[in-house]
Amino acid sequence: MKIIGAVAGVCVVATALGACGGGGGGAGTSKNAKVVSGGTFTTALPADPGNLDPQMTANSATLQVVNFAYDTLIHIDLDGRLSPQLASAWKVSGSTVTFTMRSGVTCSDGSTFTAQDAATNLNYVTNPKNKSPLTGAFAPPGATATASGSTVTLKLASPSPFVLNGLANIPMVCKAGLANRSTLATKTDGTGLFKLTEDVASDHIAFTKRTGYTWGPLGVTSSTPGLPDKVVIKFVSSLTTAANLLLSGGLSAATVTGPDAKRLQGAGLFAAPVQVLLGEMWFNHAKTRPGSDLAVRKALTQAVDLTQLAKVMSSGEGTAATTFATAPPVACTGNSIQSALPPHGVDQAKATLEAAGWKVGAGGTRSKNGQRLALTFIYDTAGGSSASAAAELAASVWKTLGAAVSMRAQSDTEITQTVLGGSGNWDVGWLPLNVSSPDQLVPFMSGPSPTAGNNFGQIDNPAYAAGVARATTKQGKAGCADWFAAESQLVKNADVIPFANQTVKTFGKGARFAAGFSAIDPTTIRMTAG
């Protein structure tokens, strides 16, 4: 979803994984360039996302890819404005959400997309038994959908304070894909503006624009001037390479951070900026891991200078994180983090470990009851050299505490597999969970662990759960104070530590577009001349 993902793609845990598509913005020389229709729009992702089932992923790279082929019931922009897409109208009344479906919507295979198809989609992702990563994050767990004529009625099983924000992020699959989900791993079956036509493993994915598409947000159709005829997504692991390809015309768009972003900005390229959570530190609470001990989590947090890490990771452009849900459209604004952090200092961290019985042994590595303080530290390569430098800095500090640190840099796809695939072979993870409303965090901060659920850190924080219970009784922004109180409990318990925000830019050459926190919105792409 836009749920799990760094900045080199789109959306969860767009993701990913908030809205994968969005209003966005832009500046640069391409902004006033002449719009030209047709041609090929080429963008980059750091790695091949693998399985393309749009309802079985929390990986931002996957969601960027499938965003081209699938629509949602309603569209949400970066300011939180809702507009029709597959549904022409909607209403929330108590525990009931109703949608009036558009007529004339067709799938890429030519079949008609019906209200019953929409209901079947909703029932799939709201049923926890199907283990969709969207369940609980975007889809209200236990809700049931029925169809009658052109109307879809969704009955909520429990309060869902930001229900439309979540539903606006659920890709709708067509009938054939619903009947045989295994085909969705390598093919797309949606109502989107583009249809998958090429999938070359570890190299690229290509889409071709459909004809007869008339139901895009804000009136976009397949005849809208400026749309490309073809979209190619290349897999480019290096931010420097992506930047060079942009400058040479080998790419139309790429999300680039760090020193390479400054090069692109200096060259006057178009840029669509978006605020994201760049740095977030997770701990594995499994009983066999060192992070199951609060003293270890607290000491690792105390020892590092979070402000310094934010500056290094963002090449000096980042700011301290203030809330867990930062991706636009942001549902709650405030600060749930800073006042809950433990006091910083390496000496304080050493004292915390000593008091908890972690004693320095042979080779300078601490141990407790026969268990060494050995940490497997994973971090996302999508952040480029700046992220690597920040990770090296943190690891060096932790070593001074007496920890044996093994570093593992992984791509978006690899890191998602590590934490959600069930192996659990990690202790500290830097992977930002980018969402727009605090309720979307709940299945990642509580509940079942993989593969039964999304709680990959195996967090069990009763104070957070109690805060969530209070917050969910209130609709929308009325519950923000309670949501922030719950988030502060996660920080106080050193369960998860967000530490860096940054305005990230997706640069364009020969094209302009709107970009959400993990995806370019396909319907906003406009090819340009000059």
Side-chain angles (χ1 to χ4, degrees):
M1 32 203 79
K2 315 152 191 181
I3 289 276
I4 291 176
V7 297
V10 189
C11 295
V12 185
V13 178
T15 84
L17 133 50
C20 258
T29 56
S30 295
K31 185 174 182 179
N32 299 315
K34 180 182 178 181
V35 170
V36 293
S37 297
T40 299
F41 177 84
T42 306
T43 187
L45 286 178
D48 189 332
N51 191 328
L52 297 180
D53 187 330
Q55 295 171 352
M56 294 301 294
T57 182
N59 179 273
S60 64
T62 308
L63 287 162
Q64 166 68 99
V65 171
V66 301
N67 201 37
F68 285 92
Y70 295 94
D71 290 321
T72 55
L73 292 175
I74 52 178
H75 182 268
I76 188 168
D77 69 13
L78 297 187
D79 295 319
R81 292 183 294 257
L82 298 172
S83 58
Q85 194 156 19
L86 296 181
S88 60
W90 54 90
K91 181 181 180 181
V92 179
S93 179
S95 61
T96 301
V97 185
T98 56
F99 295 96
T100 302
M101 301 301 296
R102 285 185 191 265
S103 60
V105 174
T106 60
C107 301
S108 58
D109 63 3
S111 63
T112 300
F113 187 84
T114 67
Q116 182 57 58
D117 295 332
T120 303
N121 274 273
L122 291 173
N123 285 329
Y124 183 84
V125 295
T126 59
N127 187 346
K129 292 182 179 180
N130 293 322
K131 300 180 181 179
S132 168
L134 308 188
T135 306
F138 297 151
T144 55
T146 56
S148 178
S150 62
T151 301
V152 176
T153 301
L154 183 68
K155 294 284 189 180
L156 304 179
S158 57
S160 183
F162 302 99
V163 63
L164 291 178
N165 295 55
L167 295 175
N169 288 281
I170 299 176
M172 293 286 113
V173 179
C174 289
K175 195 184 304 292
L178 292 170
N180 187 1
R181 295 200 74 93
S182 63
T183 63
L184 300 178
T186 57
K187 299 180 180 178
T188 59
D189 187 26
T191 64
L193 178 58
F194 296 91
K195 178 181 179 179
L196 179 69
T197 50
E198 295 177 40
D199 186 353
V200 181
S202 301
D203 188 78
H204 75 276
I205 287 177
F207 295 85
T208 300
K209 188 181 69 173
R210 296 176 56 195
T211 58
Y213 180 90
T214 61
W215 48 89
L218 304 177
V220 171
T221 74
S222 52
S223 299
T224 297
L227 289 173
D229 291 331
K230 187 175 181 179
V231 172
V232 176
I233 301 174
K234 293 182 178 181
F235 305 129
V236 181
S237 60
S238 166
L239 292 180
T240 298
T241 301
N244 291 339
L245 287 170
L246 264 173
L247 291 171
S248 67
L251 289 176
S252 310
T255 304
V256 178
T257 59
D260 292 301
K262 294 180 180 179
R263 280 201 296 141
L264 298 178
Q265 189 168 333
L269 269 63
F270 167 87
V274 64
Q275 178 81 2
V276 299
L277 178 60
L278 185 68
E280 187 168 30
M281 184 157 56
W282 296 74
F283 300 102
N284 191 341
H285 296 56
K287 292 181 179 179
T288 58
R289 316 299 295 204
S292 62
D293 189 336
L294 169 60
V296 171
R297 303 194 305 270
K298 183 177 179 181
L300 295 178
T301 304
Q302 285 179 303
V304 291
D305 185 334
L306 297 176
T307 300
Q308 183 184 32
L309 290 181
K311 289 181 178 179
V312 174
M313 177 174 277
S314 64
S315 297
E317 296 185 352
T319 59
T322 56
T323 64
F324 280 71
T326 62
V330 178
C332 295
T333 56
N335 196 326
S336 61
I337 296 171
Q338 297 304 311
S339 64
L341 289 169
H344 163 64
V346 174
D347 289 341
Q348 292 95 320
K350 289 179 178 179
T352 297
L353 291 173
E354 287 287 339
W358 290 92
K359 304 298 182 182
V360 177
T365 300
R366 292 181 184 270
S367 62
K368 177 181 178 181
N369 299 329
Q371 181 182 19
R372 295 174 70 244
L373 186 55
L375 306 174
T376 298
F377 175 25
I378 59 175
Y379 63 97
D380 201 320
T381 57
S385 59
S386 299
S388 296
E392 291 282 358
L393 176 59
S396 67
V397 173
W398 292 333
K399 289 175 183 177
T400 67
L401 294 182
V405 184
S406 173
M407 300 178 65
R408 290 166 51 195
Q410 298 185 329
S411 69
D412 272 0
T413 304
E414 291 169 335
I415 206 166
T416 301
Q417 180 60 32
T418 297
V419 300
L420 288 176
S423 72
N425 187 23
W426 64 283
D427 295 293
V428 183
W430 281 7
L431 55 157
L433 184 62
N434 270 295
V435 300
S436 61
S437 61
D439 61 323
Q440 296 169 358
L441 295 160
V442 175
F444 295 89
M445 308 295 186
S446 60
S449 59
T451 57
N454 292 335
N455 182 9
F456 57 86
Q458 300 192 37
I459 298 169
D460 183 12
N461 188 323
Y464 173 72
V468 168
R470 288 190 295 272
T472 52
T473 64
K474 301 174 182 178
Q475 279 297 312
K477 294 184 181 297
C480 286
D482 292 305
W483 284 112
F484 286 156
E487 291 178 2
S488 293
Q489 295 301 323
L490 294 171
V491 178
K492 288 178 180 178
N493 208 47
D495 294 327
V496 188
I497 308 294
F499 63 89
N501 287 353
Q502 185 180 359
T503 297
V504 170
K505 295 178 180 179
T506 300
F507 293 90
K509 185 174 184 179
R512 51 186 171 87
F513 41 81
F517 67 85
S518 62
I520 293 170
D521 184 342
T523 63
T524 68
I525 297 172
R526 301 293 182 267
M527 305 301 289
T528 60

